[in-house]
Amino acid sequence: MTFRRIINWAIGLPIAVIVIAFCVANRQWVEISFDPFSSTSPFATMFMPLWALVFIGIFFGMIAGWIACWFGQGKWRRATKEARVDLQRAQDEAQRLRREQQDRLSIPNQTS
């Protein structure tokens, strides 16, 4: 096993045990209300286990973070794309100049 794999197991296994213990300890069902105006008879309610609510919150937080990072890194993706285009143009120009140089060298002198 590689060192990285050992570290992944050393960190991942305790986290997995803690997550499983959390899920088992929080099995009770809770009522989730989406109506901020009426607490006695809410318009939209949902019953789910508490651990599911926590994991759904974590999931949506990860998605929101991913989207924020995607938009935040847009300028770097744009700069990379422009650099690739510039590099391709420079390579094409260098190849064209090499061909012209070879053509000039391969033509015999006509001054004889």
Side-chain angles (χ1 to χ4, degrees):
M1 289 179 102
T2 64
F3 181 71
R4 183 181 185 105
R5 202 168 202 181
I6 292 170
I7 294 298
N8 285 343
W9 274 100
I11 293 171
L13 189 61
I15 289 175
V17 169
I18 291 170
V19 167
I20 290 170
F22 175 80
C23 291
V24 170
N26 293 289
R27 292 182 297 228
Q28 65 270 18
W29 286 71
V30 293
E31 179 181 9
I32 310 301
S33 173
F34 298 102
D35 187 3
F37 303 111
S38 174
S39 61
T40 56
S41 61
F43 173 69
T45 61
M46 177 186 285
F47 288 94
M48 65 175 37
L50 182 61
W51 63 267
L53 178 65
V54 170
F55 285 122
I56 289 171
I58 291 171
F59 175 74
F60 282 120
M62 288 173 55
I63 296 298
W66 176 77
I67 291 170
C69 283
W70 178 259
F71 284 117
Q73 295 172 353
K75 63 181 178 182
W76 301 114
R77 286 191 307 277
R78 192 175 318 110
T80 302
K81 183 178 179 181
E82 291 171 0
R84 275 194 199 124
V85 169
D86 289 344
L87 176 62
Q88 186 62 44
R89 285 183 189 148
Q91 288 175 340
D92 291 344
E93 177 71 14
Q95 188 176 14
R96 184 184 63 80
L97 292 173
R98 278 191 210 107
R99 276 192 309 242
E100 287 178 4
Q101 179 73 18
Q102 286 177 349
D103 289 346
R104 272 190 257 135
L105 292 176
S106 64
I107 297 174
N109 258 343
Q110 300 291 335
T111 60
S112 323

